[in-house]
PDB file of all heavy atoms in Angstrom:
ATOM      1  N   THR A 971       3.890   3.760   6.319  1.00 96.00           N
ATOM      2  CA  THR A 971       4.965   3.089   5.590  1.00 96.00           C
ATOM      3  C   THR A 971       5.288   1.773   6.279  1.00 96.00           C
ATOM      4  O   THR A 971       5.391   1.727   7.511  1.00 96.00           O
ATOM      5  CB  THR A 971       6.211   3.971   5.534  1.00 96.00           C
ATOM      6  OG1 THR A 971       5.878   5.200   4.869  1.00 96.00           O
ATOM      7  CG2 THR A 971       7.338   3.273   4.774  1.00 96.00           C
ATOM      8  N   THR A 972       5.442   0.730   5.485  1.00 97.00           N
ATOM      9  CA  THR A 972       5.623  -0.604   6.055  1.00 97.00           C
ATOM     10  C   THR A 972       6.964  -1.216   5.652  1.00 97.00           C
ATOM     11  O   THR A 972       7.569  -0.822   4.647  1.00 97.00           O
ATOM     12  CB  THR A 972       4.498  -1.534   5.593  1.00 97.00           C
ATOM     13  OG1 THR A 972       4.498  -1.602   4.152  1.00 97.00           O
ATOM     14  CG2 THR A 972       3.146  -1.031   6.062  1.00 97.00           C
ATOM     15  N   ASN A 973       7.376  -2.187   6.434  1.00 97.00           N
ATOM     16  CA  ASN A 973       8.584  -2.949   6.137  1.00 97.00           C
ATOM     17  C   ASN A 973       8.403  -4.340   6.719  1.00 97.00           C
ATOM     18  O   ASN A 973       7.710  -4.501   7.740  1.00 97.00           O
ATOM     19  CB  ASN A 973       9.824  -2.272   6.719  1.00 97.00           C
ATOM     20  CG  ASN A 973      11.101  -2.731   6.035  1.00 97.00           C
ATOM     21  OD1 ASN A 973      11.051  -3.425   5.021  1.00 97.00           O
ATOM     22  ND2 ASN A 973      12.226  -2.348   6.590  1.00 97.00           N
ATOM     23  N   TYR A 974       9.030  -5.334   6.061  1.00 98.00           N
ATOM     24  CA  TYR A 974       8.794  -6.718   6.425  1.00 98.00           C
ATOM     25  C   TYR A 974      10.088  -7.512   6.498  1.00 98.00           C
ATOM     26  O   TYR A 974      11.059  -7.230   5.783  1.00 98.00           O
ATOM     27  CB  TYR A 974       7.881  -7.382   5.394  1.00 98.00           C
ATOM     28  CG  TYR A 974       6.544  -6.703   5.259  1.00 98.00           C
ATOM     29  CD1 TYR A 974       6.340  -5.691   4.341  1.00 98.00           C
ATOM     30  CD2 TYR A 974       5.473  -7.068   6.094  1.00 98.00           C
ATOM     31  CE1 TYR A 974       5.124  -5.052   4.230  1.00 98.00           C
ATOM     32  CE2 TYR A 974       4.251  -6.436   5.987  1.00 98.00           C
ATOM     33  CZ  TYR A 974       4.076  -5.429   5.060  1.00 98.00           C
ATOM     34  OH  TYR A 974       2.873  -4.800   4.960  1.00 98.00           O
ATOM     35  N   ALA A 975      10.061  -8.549   7.335  1.00 97.00           N
ATOM     36  CA  ALA A 975      11.143  -9.520   7.301  1.00 97.00           C
ATOM     37  C   ALA A 975      11.129 -10.210   5.938  1.00 97.00           C
ATOM     38  O   ALA A 975      10.069 -10.411   5.341  1.00 97.00           O
ATOM     39  CB  ALA A 975      10.960 -10.547   8.416  1.00 97.00           C
ATOM     40  N   ASP A 976      12.307 -10.575   5.456  1.00 97.00           N
ATOM     41  CA  ASP A 976      12.394 -11.194   4.131  1.00 97.00           C
ATOM     42  C   ASP A 976      11.516 -12.433   4.025  1.00 97.00           C
ATOM     43  O   ASP A 976      10.949 -12.719   2.971  1.00 97.00           O
ATOM     44  CB  ASP A 976      13.847 -11.565   3.822  1.00 97.00           C
ATOM     45  CG  ASP A 976      14.711 -10.354   3.520  1.00 97.00           C
ATOM     46  OD1 ASP A 976      14.142  -9.273   3.248  1.00 97.00           O
ATOM     47  OD2 ASP A 976      15.942 -10.488   3.572  1.00 97.00           O
ATOM     48  N   SER A 977      11.376 -13.164   5.117  1.00 96.00           N
ATOM     49  CA  SER A 977      10.653 -14.433   5.088  1.00 96.00           C
ATOM     50  C   SER A 977       9.154 -14.261   4.859  1.00 96.00           C
ATOM     51  O   SER A 977       8.480 -15.226   4.501  1.00 96.00           O
ATOM     52  CB  SER A 977      10.889 -15.198   6.392  1.00 96.00           C
ATOM     53  OG  SER A 977      10.408 -14.454   7.495  1.00 96.00           O
ATOM     54  N   VAL A 978       8.633 -13.045   5.076  1.00 98.00           N
ATOM     55  CA  VAL A 978       7.186 -12.849   4.933  1.00 98.00           C
ATOM     56  C   VAL A 978       6.822 -11.849   3.843  1.00 98.00           C
ATOM     57  O   VAL A 978       5.632 -11.621   3.596  1.00 98.00           O
ATOM     58  CB  VAL A 978       6.549 -12.417   6.272  1.00 98.00           C
ATOM     59  CG1 VAL A 978       6.916 -13.386   7.383  1.00 98.00           C
ATOM     60  CG2 VAL A 978       6.937 -10.988   6.643  1.00 98.00           C
ATOM     61  N   LYS A 979       7.804 -11.253   3.198  1.00 98.00           N
ATOM     62  CA  LYS A 979       7.529 -10.276   2.146  1.00 98.00           C
ATOM     63  C   LYS A 979       6.660 -10.886   1.058  1.00 98.00           C
ATOM     64  O   LYS A 979       6.890 -12.004   0.613  1.00 98.00           O
ATOM     65  CB  LYS A 979       8.839  -9.773   1.543  1.00 98.00           C
ATOM     66  CG  LYS A 979       9.529  -8.702   2.361  1.00 98.00           C
ATOM     67  CD  LYS A 979      10.799  -8.222   1.683  1.00 98.00           C
ATOM     68  CE  LYS A 979      11.501  -7.174   2.520  1.00 98.00           C
ATOM     69  NZ  LYS A 979      12.783  -6.750   1.930  1.00 98.00           N
ATOM     70  N   GLY A 980       5.653 -10.120   0.656  1.00 97.00           N
ATOM     71  CA  GLY A 980       4.746 -10.587  -0.387  1.00 97.00           C
ATOM     72  C   GLY A 980       3.619 -11.465   0.119  1.00 97.00           C
ATOM     73  O   GLY A 980       2.695 -11.773  -0.633  1.00 97.00           O
ATOM     74  N   ARG A 981       3.688 -11.875   1.391  1.00 98.00           N
ATOM     75  CA  ARG A 981       2.647 -12.733   1.950  1.00 98.00           C
ATOM     76  C   ARG A 981       1.898 -12.062   3.107  1.00 98.00           C
ATOM     77  O   ARG A 981       0.716 -12.317   3.299  1.00 98.00           O
ATOM     78  CB  ARG A 981       3.261 -14.041   2.453  1.00 98.00           C
ATOM     79  CG  ARG A 981       3.964 -14.843   1.383  1.00 98.00           C
ATOM     80  CD  ARG A 981       4.384 -16.216   1.915  1.00 98.00           C
ATOM     81  NE  ARG A 981       5.350 -16.132   3.004  1.00 98.00           N
ATOM     82  CZ  ARG A 981       5.130 -16.628   4.230  1.00 98.00           C
ATOM     83  NH1 ARG A 981       3.979 -17.217   4.511  1.00 98.00           N
ATOM     84  NH2 ARG A 981       6.065 -16.531   5.152  1.00 98.00           N
ATOM     85  N   PHE A 982       2.591 -11.248   3.867  1.00 98.00           N
ATOM     86  CA  PHE A 982       1.995 -10.598   5.040  1.00 98.00           C
ATOM     87  C   PHE A 982       1.808  -9.107   4.751  1.00 98.00           C
ATOM     88  O   PHE A 982       2.624  -8.493   4.052  1.00 98.00           O
ATOM     89  CB  PHE A 982       2.888 -10.737   6.258  1.00 98.00           C
ATOM     90  CG  PHE A 982       2.959 -12.117   6.849  1.00 98.00           C
ATOM     91  CD1 PHE A 982       2.477 -13.237   6.183  1.00 98.00           C
ATOM     92  CD2 PHE A 982       3.526 -12.305   8.110  1.00 98.00           C
ATOM     93  CE1 PHE A 982       2.546 -14.504   6.736  1.00 98.00           C
ATOM     94  CE2 PHE A 982       3.603 -13.564   8.688  1.00 98.00           C
ATOM     95  CZ  PHE A 982       3.122 -14.662   7.988  1.00 98.00           C
ATOM     96  N   THR A 983       0.758  -8.538   5.355  1.00 98.00           N
ATOM     97  CA  THR A 983       0.507  -7.106   5.245  1.00 98.00           C
ATOM     98  C   THR A 983       0.153  -6.546   6.612  1.00 98.00           C
ATOM     99  O   THR A 983      -0.801  -7.006   7.247  1.00 98.00           O
ATOM    100  CB  THR A 983      -0.634  -6.815   4.263  1.00 98.00           C
ATOM    101  OG1 THR A 983      -0.329  -7.372   2.980  1.00 98.00           O
ATOM    102  CG2 THR A 983      -0.842  -5.309   4.124  1.00 98.00           C
ATOM    103  N   ILE A 984       0.922  -5.565   7.054  1.00 98.00           N
ATOM    104  CA  ILE A 984       0.633  -4.891   8.313  1.00 98.00           C
ATOM    105  C   ILE A 984      -0.137  -3.617   8.007  1.00 98.00           C
ATOM    106  O   ILE A 984       0.119  -2.937   7.006  1.00 98.00           O
ATOM    107  CB  ILE A 984       1.934  -4.589   9.098  1.00 98.00           C
ATOM    108  CG1 ILE A 984       1.614  -4.029  10.485  1.00 98.00           C
ATOM    109  CG2 ILE A 984       2.847  -3.659   8.306  1.00 98.00           C
ATOM    110  CD1 ILE A 984       2.847  -3.873  11.389  1.00 98.00           C
ATOM    111  N   SER A 985      -1.099  -3.300   8.865  1.00 97.00           N
ATOM    112  CA  SER A 985      -1.861  -2.064   8.713  1.00 97.00           C
ATOM    113  C   SER A 985      -2.277  -1.580  10.091  1.00 97.00           C
ATOM    114  O   SER A 985      -2.134  -2.302  11.084  1.00 97.00           O
ATOM    115  CB  SER A 985      -3.089  -2.280   7.811  1.00 97.00           C
ATOM    116  OG  SER A 985      -3.960  -3.251   8.360  1.00 97.00           O
ATOM    117  N   ARG A 986      -2.800  -0.366  10.135  1.00 97.00           N
ATOM    118  CA  ARG A 986      -3.221   0.194  11.415  1.00 97.00           C
ATOM    119  C   ARG A 986      -4.461   1.045  11.210  1.00 97.00           C
ATOM    120  O   ARG A 986      -4.675   1.627  10.148  1.00 97.00           O
ATOM    121  CB  ARG A 986      -2.098   1.019  12.036  1.00 97.00           C
ATOM    122  CG  ARG A 986      -1.699   2.244  11.263  1.00 97.00           C
ATOM    123  CD  ARG A 986      -0.412   2.873  11.813  1.00 97.00           C
ATOM    124  NE  ARG A 986      -0.576   3.318  13.194  1.00 97.00           N
ATOM    125  CZ  ARG A 986       0.459   3.542  14.019  1.00 97.00           C
ATOM    126  NH1 ARG A 986       1.697   3.342  13.599  1.00 97.00           N
ATOM    127  NH2 ARG A 986       0.237   3.964  15.245  1.00 97.00           N
ATOM    128  N   ASP A 987      -5.259   1.102  12.261  1.00 95.00           N
ATOM    129  CA  ASP A 987      -6.430   1.972  12.300  1.00 95.00           C
ATOM    130  C   ASP A 987      -6.303   2.816  13.557  1.00 95.00           C
ATOM    131  O   ASP A 987      -6.598   2.337  14.668  1.00 95.00           O
ATOM    132  CB  ASP A 987      -7.706   1.133  12.307  1.00 95.00           C
ATOM    133  CG  ASP A 987      -8.969   1.971  12.221  1.00 95.00           C
ATOM    134  OD1 ASP A 987      -8.930   3.164  12.592  1.00 95.00           O
ATOM    135  OD2 ASP A 987     -10.009   1.435  11.791  1.00 95.00           O
ATOM    136  N   ASN A 988      -5.855   4.047  13.384  1.00 94.00           N
ATOM    137  CA  ASN A 988      -5.610   4.892  14.557  1.00 94.00           C
ATOM    138  C   ASN A 988      -6.894   5.250  15.302  1.00 94.00           C
ATOM    139  O   ASN A 988      -6.875   5.498  16.503  1.00 94.00           O
ATOM    140  CB  ASN A 988      -4.866   6.163  14.149  1.00 94.00           C
ATOM    141  CG  ASN A 988      -3.427   5.884  13.748  1.00 94.00           C
ATOM    142  OD1 ASN A 988      -2.838   4.882  14.145  1.00 94.00           O
ATOM    143  ND2 ASN A 988      -2.844   6.770  12.949  1.00 94.00           N
ATOM    144  N   ALA A 989      -8.004   5.281  14.589  1.00 94.00           N
ATOM    145  CA  ALA A 989      -9.286   5.589  15.240  1.00 94.00           C
ATOM    146  C   ALA A 989      -9.710   4.476  16.186  1.00 94.00           C
ATOM    147  O   ALA A 989     -10.427   4.720  17.160  1.00 94.00           O
ATOM    148  CB  ALA A 989     -10.359   5.823  14.195  1.00 94.00           C
ATOM    149  N   LYS A 990      -9.262   3.260  15.889  1.00 95.00           N
ATOM    150  CA  LYS A 990      -9.622   2.109  16.718  1.00 95.00           C
ATOM    151  C   LYS A 990      -8.469   1.646  17.604  1.00 95.00           C
ATOM    152  O   LYS A 990      -8.594   0.631  18.294  1.00 95.00           O
ATOM    153  CB  LYS A 990     -10.066   0.942  15.829  1.00 95.00           C
ATOM    154  CG  LYS A 990     -11.338   1.222  15.043  1.00 95.00           C
ATOM    155  CD  LYS A 990     -11.750   0.004  14.223  1.00 95.00           C
ATOM    156  CE  LYS A 990     -13.051   0.274  13.472  1.00 95.00           C
ATOM    157  NZ  LYS A 990     -13.475  -0.904  12.661  1.00 95.00           N
ATOM    158  N   ASN A 991      -7.347   2.369  17.557  1.00 95.00           N
ATOM    159  CA  ASN A 991      -6.175   1.959  18.345  1.00 95.00           C
ATOM    160  C   ASN A 991      -5.814   0.493  18.091  1.00 95.00           C
ATOM    161  O   ASN A 991      -5.544  -0.260  19.042  1.00 95.00           O
ATOM    162  CB  ASN A 991      -6.414   2.181  19.849  1.00 95.00           C
ATOM    163  CG  ASN A 991      -6.033   3.574  20.291  1.00 95.00           C
ATOM    164  OD1 ASN A 991      -6.081   4.515  19.503  1.00 95.00           O
ATOM    165  ND2 ASN A 991      -5.676   3.724  21.548  1.00 95.00           N
ATOM    166  N   THR A 992      -5.817   0.101  16.841  1.00 96.00           N
ATOM    167  CA  THR A 992      -5.609  -1.299  16.497  1.00 96.00           C
ATOM    168  C   THR A 992      -4.616  -1.426  15.352  1.00 96.00           C
ATOM    169  O   THR A 992      -4.645  -0.635  14.399  1.00 96.00           O
ATOM    170  CB  THR A 992      -6.936  -1.967  16.102  1.00 96.00           C
ATOM    171  OG1 THR A 992      -7.852  -1.872  17.209  1.00 96.00           O
ATOM    172  CG2 THR A 992      -6.736  -3.432  15.762  1.00 96.00           C
ATOM    173  N   VAL A 993      -3.757  -2.421  15.461  1.00 97.00           N
ATOM    174  CA  VAL A 993      -2.844  -2.762  14.378  1.00 97.00           C
ATOM    175  C   VAL A 993      -3.172  -4.187  13.935  1.00 97.00           C
ATOM    176  O   VAL A 993      -3.528  -5.040  14.763  1.00 97.00           O
ATOM    177  CB  VAL A 993      -1.372  -2.609  14.825  1.00 97.00           C
ATOM    178  CG1 VAL A 993      -1.042  -3.501  15.997  1.00 97.00           C
ATOM    179  CG2 VAL A 993      -0.423  -2.848  13.668  1.00 97.00           C
ATOM    180  N   TYR A 994      -3.075  -4.411  12.635  1.00 98.00           N
ATOM    181  CA  TYR A 994      -3.469  -5.687  12.052  1.00 98.00           C
ATOM    182  C   TYR A 994      -2.293  -6.344  11.342  1.00 98.00           C
ATOM    183  O   TYR A 994      -1.347  -5.682  10.927  1.00 98.00           O
ATOM    184  CB  TYR A 994      -4.586  -5.476  11.029  1.00 98.00           C
ATOM    185  CG  TYR A 994      -5.811  -4.796  11.575  1.00 98.00           C
ATOM    186  CD1 TYR A 994      -6.007  -3.425  11.414  1.00 98.00           C
ATOM    187  CD2 TYR A 994      -6.789  -5.515  12.254  1.00 98.00           C
ATOM    188  CE1 TYR A 994      -7.123  -2.786  11.911  1.00 98.00           C
ATOM    189  CE2 TYR A 994      -7.926  -4.884  12.760  1.00 98.00           C
ATOM    190  CZ  TYR A 994      -8.082  -3.527  12.581  1.00 98.00           C
ATOM    191  OH  TYR A 994      -9.196  -2.896  13.087  1.00 98.00           O
ATOM    192  N   LEU A 995      -2.397  -7.664  11.179  1.00 98.00           N
ATOM    193  CA  LEU A 995      -1.447  -8.394  10.357  1.00 98.00           C
ATOM    194  C   LEU A 995      -2.234  -9.403   9.524  1.00 98.00           C
ATOM    195  O   LEU A 995      -2.756 -10.385  10.064  1.00 98.00           O
ATOM    196  CB  LEU A 995      -0.397  -9.106  11.204  1.00 98.00           C
ATOM    197  CG  LEU A 995       0.730  -9.759  10.405  1.00 98.00           C
ATOM    198  CD1 LEU A 995       1.588  -8.687   9.718  1.00 98.00           C
ATOM    199  CD2 LEU A 995       1.599 -10.634  11.316  1.00 98.00           C
ATOM    200  N   GLN A 996      -2.348  -9.125   8.247  1.00 98.00           N
ATOM    201  CA  GLN A 996      -2.972 -10.059   7.313  1.00 98.00           C
ATOM    202  C   GLN A 996      -1.899 -11.022   6.842  1.00 98.00           C
ATOM    203  O   GLN A 996      -0.883 -10.594   6.281  1.00 98.00           O
ATOM    204  CB  GLN A 996      -3.582  -9.310   6.131  1.00 98.00           C
ATOM    205  CG  GLN A 996      -4.190 -10.209   5.081  1.00 98.00           C
ATOM    206  CD  GLN A 996      -5.414 -10.942   5.580  1.00 98.00           C
ATOM    207  OE1 GLN A 996      -6.287 -10.355   6.231  1.00 98.00           O
ATOM    208  NE2 GLN A 996      -5.500 -12.239   5.280  1.00 98.00           N
ATOM    209  N   MET A 997      -2.140 -12.299   7.051  1.00 98.00           N
ATOM    210  CA  MET A 997      -1.159 -13.326   6.711  1.00 98.00           C
ATOM    211  C   MET A 997      -1.754 -14.263   5.668  1.00 98.00           C
ATOM    212  O   MET A 997      -2.758 -14.936   5.949  1.00 98.00           O
ATOM    213  CB  MET A 997      -0.740 -14.099   7.957  1.00 98.00           C
ATOM    214  CG  MET A 997      -0.254 -13.203   9.088  1.00 98.00           C
ATOM    215  SD  MET A 997       0.448 -14.137  10.461  1.00 98.00           S
ATOM    216  CE  MET A 997      -0.995 -15.038  11.004  1.00 98.00           C
ATOM    217  N   ASN A 998      -1.166 -14.292   4.501  1.00 98.00           N
ATOM    218  CA  ASN A 998      -1.619 -15.153   3.416  1.00 98.00           C
ATOM    219  C   ASN A 998      -0.530 -16.162   3.060  1.00 98.00           C
ATOM    220  O   ASN A 998       0.638 -16.005   3.434  1.00 98.00           O
ATOM    221  CB  ASN A 998      -1.952 -14.309   2.186  1.00 98.00           C
ATOM    222  CG  ASN A 998      -3.079 -13.316   2.431  1.00 98.00           C
ATOM    223  OD1 ASN A 998      -3.993 -13.576   3.209  1.00 98.00           O
ATOM    224  ND2 ASN A 998      -3.014 -12.178   1.765  1.00 98.00           N
ATOM    225  N   SER A 999      -0.928 -17.187   2.333  1.00 98.00           N
ATOM    226  CA  SER A 999       0.017 -18.224   1.878  1.00 98.00           C
ATOM    227  C   SER A 999       0.877 -18.713   3.040  1.00 98.00           C
ATOM    228  O   SER A 999       2.109 -18.803   2.941  1.00 98.00           O
ATOM    229  CB  SER A 999       0.900 -17.666   0.762  1.00 98.00           C
ATOM    230  OG  SER A 999       0.121 -17.227  -0.326  1.00 98.00           O
ATOM    231  N   LEU A1000       0.233 -19.029   4.129  1.00 98.00           N
ATOM    232  CA  LEU A1000       0.963 -19.408   5.338  1.00 98.00           C
ATOM    233  C   LEU A1000       1.755 -20.683   5.146  1.00 98.00           C
ATOM    234  O   LEU A1000       1.336 -21.608   4.428  1.00 98.00           O
ATOM    235  CB  LEU A1000      -0.007 -19.547   6.501  1.00 98.00           C
ATOM    236  CG  LEU A1000      -0.442 -18.195   7.100  1.00 98.00           C
ATOM    237  CD1 LEU A1000      -1.726 -18.345   7.908  1.00 98.00           C
ATOM    238  CD2 LEU A1000       0.661 -17.623   7.973  1.00 98.00           C
ATOM    239  N   LYS A1001       2.903 -20.729   5.803  1.00 98.00           N
ATOM    240  CA  LYS A1001       3.815 -21.864   5.749  1.00 98.00           C
ATOM    241  C   LYS A1001       4.031 -22.407   7.158  1.00 98.00           C
ATOM    242  O   LYS A1001       3.870 -21.669   8.142  1.00 98.00           O
ATOM    243  CB  LYS A1001       5.165 -21.417   5.185  1.00 98.00           C
ATOM    244  CG  LYS A1001       5.091 -20.771   3.825  1.00 98.00           C
ATOM    245  CD  LYS A1001       6.464 -20.290   3.380  1.00 98.00           C
ATOM    246  CE  LYS A1001       6.410 -19.631   2.008  1.00 98.00           C
ATOM    247  NZ  LYS A1001       7.755 -19.159   1.576  1.00 98.00           N
ATOM    248  N   PRO A1002       4.418 -23.659   7.291  1.00 96.00           N
ATOM    249  CA  PRO A1002       4.683 -24.212   8.623  1.00 96.00           C
ATOM    250  C   PRO A1002       5.688 -23.380   9.423  1.00 96.00           C
ATOM    251  O   PRO A1002       5.562 -23.271  10.647  1.00 96.00           O
ATOM    252  CB  PRO A1002       5.219 -25.613   8.313  1.00 96.00           C
ATOM    253  CG  PRO A1002       4.551 -25.982   7.026  1.00 96.00           C
ATOM    254  CD  PRO A1002       4.491 -24.706   6.244  1.00 96.00           C
ATOM    255  N   GLU A1003       6.641 -22.782   8.753  1.00 96.00           N
ATOM    256  CA  GLU A1003       7.647 -21.990   9.467  1.00 96.00           C
ATOM    257  C   GLU A1003       7.106 -20.660   9.985  1.00 96.00           C
ATOM    258  O   GLU A1003       7.807 -19.939  10.694  1.00 96.00           O
ATOM    259  CB  GLU A1003       8.876 -21.728   8.574  1.00 96.00           C
ATOM    260  CG  GLU A1003       8.558 -21.163   7.207  1.00 96.00           C
ATOM    261  CD  GLU A1003       8.492 -22.246   6.132  1.00 96.00           C
ATOM    262  OE1 GLU A1003       7.910 -23.320   6.402  1.00 96.00           O
ATOM    263  OE2 GLU A1003       9.001 -21.991   5.016  1.00 96.00           O
ATOM    264  N   ASP A1004       5.864 -20.326   9.662  1.00 97.00           N
ATOM    265  CA  ASP A1004       5.222 -19.142  10.233  1.00 97.00           C
ATOM    266  C   ASP A1004       4.647 -19.434  11.618  1.00 97.00           C
ATOM    267  O   ASP A1004       4.171 -18.523  12.301  1.00 97.00           O
ATOM    268  CB  ASP A1004       4.088 -18.647   9.330  1.00 97.00           C
ATOM    269  CG  ASP A1004       4.575 -18.178   7.975  1.00 97.00           C
ATOM    270  OD1 ASP A1004       5.658 -17.541   7.916  1.00 97.00           O
ATOM    271  OD2 ASP A1004       3.886 -18.455   6.966  1.00 97.00           O
ATOM    272  N   THR A1005       4.682 -20.673  12.027  1.00 97.00           N
ATOM    273  CA  THR A1005       4.136 -21.072  13.326  1.00 97.00           C
ATOM    274  C   THR A1005       4.850 -20.360  14.468  1.00 97.00           C
ATOM    275  O   THR A1005       6.082 -20.245  14.465  1.00 97.00           O
ATOM    276  CB  THR A1005       4.252 -22.592  13.498  1.00 97.00           C
ATOM    277  OG1 THR A1005       3.389 -23.227  12.551  1.00 97.00           O
ATOM    278  CG2 THR A1005       3.863 -23.038  14.897  1.00 97.00           C
TER     279      THR A1005
END
């Protein structure tokens, strides 16, 4: 289950792969304020 800051909702996606001990953040439609 995921949750996002309002500023990134609809643009960012968090996911995890427990087999690889890795968490990801897919960031689309990036804006300067994401810096």
Side-chain angles (χ1 to χ4, degrees):
T971 300
T972 59
N973 200 9
Y974 301 91
D976 287 344
S977 61
V978 307
K979 280 182 181 176
R981 300 188 297 120
F982 289 13
T983 303
I984 186 173
S985 61
R986 64 190 298 160
D987 185 336
N988 289 337
K990 295 182 178 180
N991 272 28
T992 301
V993 60
Y994 303 97
L995 187 67
Q996 177 67 45
M997 307 188 296
N998 298 328
S999 301
L1000 282 161
K1001 303 177 180 180
E1003 51 264 43
D1004 296 321
T1005 293

